[in-house]
Amino acid sequence: MSQSNPLVPFIPLNAPFSEEQRSWLNGFLAGLYSRASAPQALGDTPQSKTPLTILWGSQTGNAESLAKKTAKDAKAKGYRVEVFDMDEYPKDRLPKESNLLIITSTYGDGEPPDNAEAFHQFVLGDGVPKLDQVRYSVLGLGDSNYPDFNKCAKEFDGRLAALGAQRAAGGVWCDVEFDDDYAAWRDAALEGFLGEAAAPASTEPMSESAPASEAKSAYNRNNPYRAKLLSNSNLNKEGSAKETRHVEICLKGSGLEYEAGDALGIIPQNCKALVDDILQVTGFSGEEIVPGAADDEVCLRDALLSHYDINTLNKGLLESYAALVHLPELDAMIASQNGHIDAYLKDRHLIDLLHAYPAKLGSASDFVRLLRKLSPRLYSISSSPKAYDEQVHLTVGVVRYYLHGRPRKGVCSNFLAELEPGTELSVYVQPNKHFKPPANASIPMIMVGPGTGIAPFRAFLEERHASEAPGKNWLIFGDQRSEYDFLYAEQLESMQTAGTLHALDTAFSRDGEEKVYVQNRMREKAAELYQWLEEGAYFYVCGDASRMAKDVDAALRDIIREQGKLTEDETEAYMDRLKSQKRYLRDVY
């Protein structure tokens, strides 16, 4: 073989390969070394680039999007970047890393996202080696309404430090509005890694564009689309204790695209009656000019209606309010730090604080600076784009209850429930590529979704029905009463008749003397469920994370252990295989 480049190695004739193998290897080496020897741009040699590994743990897609955005920005700064889903990261690489970024959310009761669970256990376990050579920084995405705020991220941060790793930049624990905190963390972390070791290969400014997952349309979380509401109906029959809305929204002309399994972000408005109540107790007229959420100026009434969260009461807000009003009894409660704060905060909202501890608040601007921005709400999409042209459907449980002497309303569920067809609302698509029907349409699906947890599974079934997918489908649905609360009953029965839905089991907890839930139906069908798993079925769960999802997980483990006649360790290994094969998937909240 002719060698035009003397630096390119080749396979000699006496090597133990066939002629075909030798020819392929020589071609591969020639191509590889010709690329390696090509002239490179100044400052773009491998030696001049600082290595950076980014790991992400994500339940809804935000952490994944930020990881990809950080990678793009880091490359523009001269880094050599690798990005990993935590589930796919080779754990033996960890002590060999020089620069490491971790971006992770926390969900449920302080739990890691599903794709971060195995890596989280590894890092916090006894077998992890020392990490003396690693520099790192952690970004957490969380919600300060929950007591275990950013617990997963904080555990990663503390454990890496305990193992000898050095912080290149301090960890940042973002709340639901994370854009500004993320940008500050990114800048600090990337500069911290560079230090004096290397100069950036590019002076190109870091991008503030939308993540790649949101780039198909001009509309995203920061620039939502004004969509028209097509229809809004109650799925529960008269006599039900619940109200579940079926909402249809027009996307025509938006360029927004979605897949079954994705979520729709809704920008809500607050309850007008609650705004009036807050204005009355604070003594403001509502006409005062205050900063808006986007650094603009608006009147106070509009700010409270559309810009700020006027429901949430957490420790940070309580302490900020106390510092502003200087009430001795409130200062005493905060100073005690003996559990009184947690007890007071439980189930209380901002309006409760204002009524319990009324005070002169200074200016209206001082008041709104206490509040965090009104955040979007994500809802699992309950339609397939293959079934509806330029429409998206939602299945929304309306939250209303009475507590501490006052009626309460869920912000976004009531906003949607009260909208009339023809009105506009701001929306965007939140991709969730980790909660999809199997790419192979012949693979069976087992779907467990009580209440509004049915939403993505309606989309999955519509997808398979529209594409005439051959795979078997099994839905386990639950709610309170079959007569009033059997959501989408007619459509599901039609899918059974059509042969799309091969098995349908229901659990209506209030129909009998004993309460029956979806996990009970799973146990009753244990042999069949295990057989489906052995045939390669994907197992999906959607709904409440704190109770239902844990009960379903426990039932699944028991079924695998008993039907497979496995030990505890073998059962755990079976579960790990399901997760690693992406066959145990959850959309829980």
Coordinates of all heavy atoms in Angstrom, one line a residue, residues 225 228 230 248-258 381 383-393 458 462-463 466:
Y225 N -45.5 31.2 23.4 CA -46.4 31.5 22.3 C -47.8 31.8 22.8 O -48.2 31.2 23.7 CB -46.5 30.3 21.4 CG -47.5 30.4 20.3 CD1 -47.3 31.3 19.2 CD2 -48.6 29.5 20.2 CE1 -48.3 31.4 18.2 CE2 -49.5 29.6 19.2 CZ -49.4 30.5 18.2 OH -50.3 30.6 17.2
K228 N -54.4 30.0 21.2 CA -55.8 30.2 21.4 C -56.4 28.9 22.0 O -56.1 27.8 21.6 CB -56.5 30.5 20.1 CG -58.0 30.7 20.2 CD -58.7 31.1 18.9 CE -58.3 32.5 18.5 NZ -59.0 32.9 17.3
L230 N -59.1 26.2 22.4 CA -60.1 25.7 21.6 C -61.3 25.1 22.3 O -62.5 25.4 22.0 CB -59.5 24.5 20.7 CG -58.4 24.9 19.7 CD1 -57.8 23.7 19.0 CD2 -59.0 25.9 18.7
E248 N -58.0 21.8 25.3 CA -57.5 21.7 23.9 C -57.0 23.1 23.5 O -57.7 24.1 23.6 CB -58.5 21.1 22.9 CG -59.0 19.7 23.3 CD -60.0 19.1 22.3 OE1 -60.4 19.9 21.4 OE2 -60.3 18.0 22.5
I249 N -55.8 23.1 23.0 CA -55.1 24.4 22.6 C -54.6 24.3 21.2 O -54.0 23.3 20.7 CB -53.9 24.6 23.6 CG1 -54.4 24.7 25.0 CG2 -53.1 25.9 23.2 CD1 -53.3 24.7 26.1
C250 N -54.8 25.4 20.5 CA -54.4 25.5 19.1 C -52.9 25.9 19.0 O -52.5 26.9 19.6 CB -55.3 26.5 18.3 SG -54.8 26.7 16.6
L251 N -52.1 25.2 18.2 CA -50.7 25.6 17.9 C -50.5 26.0 16.5 O -49.3 26.2 16.1 CB -49.8 24.4 18.3 CG -49.8 23.9 19.7 CD1 -48.8 22.8 19.9 CD2 -49.4 25.0 20.7
K252 N -51.5 26.2 15.7 CA -51.4 26.5 14.3 C -50.6 27.8 14.1 O -50.8 28.8 14.7 CB -52.8 26.7 13.7 CG -52.8 26.8 12.2 CD -54.2 26.8 11.6 CE -54.1 26.9 10.1 NZ -55.5 26.9 9.5
G253 N -49.6 27.6 13.2 CA -48.7 28.8 12.9 C -47.6 29.1 13.8 O -46.8 29.9 13.6
S254 N -47.5 28.3 14.9 CA -46.5 28.6 16.0 C -45.2 28.0 15.6 O -44.1 28.5 16.1 CB -47.0 28.1 17.3 OG -47.0 26.6 17.3
G255 N -45.2 26.9 14.9 CA -43.9 26.2 14.7 C -43.6 25.3 15.8 O -42.6 24.6 15.8
L256 N -44.4 25.3 16.9 CA -44.1 24.4 18.0 C -44.4 23.0 17.6 O -45.5 22.7 17.1 CB -45.0 24.8 19.2 CG -44.6 26.1 20.0 CD1 -45.6 26.5 21.0 CD2 -43.2 25.9 20.7
E257 N -43.5 22.1 17.9 CA -43.6 20.7 17.7 C -43.5 19.9 19.0 O -42.7 20.4 19.9 CB -42.6 20.2 16.7 CG -42.8 20.8 15.3 CD -41.7 20.4 14.3 OE1 -40.9 19.5 14.7 OE2 -41.6 20.9 13.2
Y258 N -44.2 18.8 19.2 CA -44.0 18.0 20.4 C -44.2 16.6 20.0 O -44.6 16.2 18.9 CB -45.1 18.4 21.4 CG -46.5 18.0 21.1 CD1 -47.0 16.8 21.5 CD2 -47.3 18.9 20.4 CE1 -48.3 16.4 21.2 CE2 -48.7 18.5 20.1 CZ -49.1 17.3 20.5 OH -50.4 16.9 20.2
I381 N -48.4 16.3 28.3 CA -49.3 16.4 27.2 C -50.1 15.1 27.0 O -49.5 14.0 27.1 CB -48.5 16.7 25.9 CG1 -47.9 18.1 26.0 CG2 -49.4 16.6 24.7 CD1 -47.0 18.5 24.9
S383 N -52.0 14.2 24.3 CA -52.4 14.0 22.9 C -51.2 13.6 22.1 O -50.1 13.9 22.5 CB -53.1 15.2 22.3 OG -52.2 16.3 22.4
S384 N -51.5 13.0 21.0 CA -50.4 12.6 20.1 C -50.5 13.5 18.8 O -51.6 13.7 18.3 CB -50.5 11.2 19.6 OG -49.7 11.0 18.4
P385 N -49.4 14.1 18.4 CA -49.4 14.9 17.2 C -49.9 14.1 15.9 O -50.3 14.7 14.9 CB -48.0 15.5 17.0 CG -47.2 14.5 17.8 CD -48.0 14.0 18.9
K386 N -49.8 12.8 16.0 CA -50.2 12.0 14.9 C -51.7 11.8 14.9 O -52.3 11.4 13.9 CB -49.6 10.6 15.0 CG -48.1 10.6 14.8 CD -47.5 9.2 14.9 CE -46.0 9.3 14.6 NZ -45.3 8.0 14.8
A387 N -52.4 12.2 16.0 CA -53.8 12.1 16.0 C -54.5 13.5 15.9 O -55.7 13.5 15.5 CB -54.3 11.5 17.4
Y388 N -53.8 14.6 16.1 CA -54.4 15.9 16.1 C -53.4 16.8 15.4 O -52.3 17.0 15.8 CB -54.7 16.4 17.5 CG -55.6 15.5 18.3 CD1 -55.1 14.6 19.1 CD2 -57.0 15.5 18.1 CE1 -55.9 13.7 19.9 CE2 -57.8 14.7 18.8 CZ -57.3 13.8 19.7 OH -58.1 12.9 20.4
D389 N -53.9 17.5 14.4 CA -53.1 18.4 13.6 C -53.0 19.8 14.3 O -54.0 20.5 14.4 CB -53.7 18.6 12.2 CG -52.7 19.4 11.3 OD1 -51.5 19.3 11.5 OD2 -53.3 20.0 10.4
E390 N -51.8 20.2 14.7 CA -51.5 21.5 15.3 C -52.4 21.8 16.5 O -52.8 22.9 16.7 CB -51.6 22.6 14.2 CG -50.6 22.4 13.1 CD -50.6 23.6 12.1 OE1 -51.7 23.9 11.6 OE2 -49.6 24.3 12.0
Q391 N -52.6 20.7 17.3 CA -53.3 20.9 18.5 C -52.5 20.2 19.6 O -51.7 19.3 19.4 CB -54.7 20.2 18.5 CG -55.7 20.9 17.7 CD -57.1 20.2 17.9 OE1 -57.4 19.6 18.9 NE2 -58.0 20.4 16.9
V392 N -52.7 20.7 20.9 CA -52.2 20.0 22.0 C -53.2 19.9 23.1 O -54.0 20.8 23.3 CB -50.9 20.7 22.5 CG1 -51.2 22.1 23.0 CG2 -50.2 19.9 23.6
H393 N -53.3 18.7 23.7 CA -54.3 18.5 24.8 C -53.7 18.3 26.1 O -52.6 17.7 26.2 CB -55.2 17.3 24.4 CG -55.9 17.4 23.2 ND1 -56.7 16.3 22.7 CD2 -56.1 18.4 22.2 CE1 -57.2 16.7 21.5 NE2 -56.9 17.9 21.2
R458 N -52.6 8.4 27.5 CA -53.6 8.7 26.4 C -52.8 9.0 25.1 O -53.1 8.6 24.0 CB -54.5 9.8 26.8 CG -55.5 10.2 25.7 CD -56.4 11.4 26.2 NE -57.4 11.7 25.2 CZ -57.4 12.7 24.4 NH1 -56.3 13.6 24.4 NH2 -58.4 13.0 23.5
E462 N -52.8 6.9 21.6 CA -53.2 7.6 20.4 C -52.0 7.4 19.4 O -52.3 7.2 18.2 CB -53.5 9.0 20.6 CG -54.8 9.3 21.4 CD -55.1 10.7 21.6 OE1 -54.2 11.6 21.4 OE2 -56.3 11.0 21.9
E463 N -50.8 7.5 19.8 CA -49.6 7.4 18.9 C -49.6 6.0 18.3 O -49.5 5.8 17.1 CB -48.4 7.6 19.7 CG -47.1 7.6 18.9 CD -46.6 9.0 18.6 OE1 -47.3 10.0 18.9 OE2 -45.6 9.0 17.9
A466 N -52.6 5.5 15.9 CA -52.5 6.2 14.6 C -51.5 5.5 13.7 O -51.6 5.6 12.5 CB -52.1 7.7 14.9

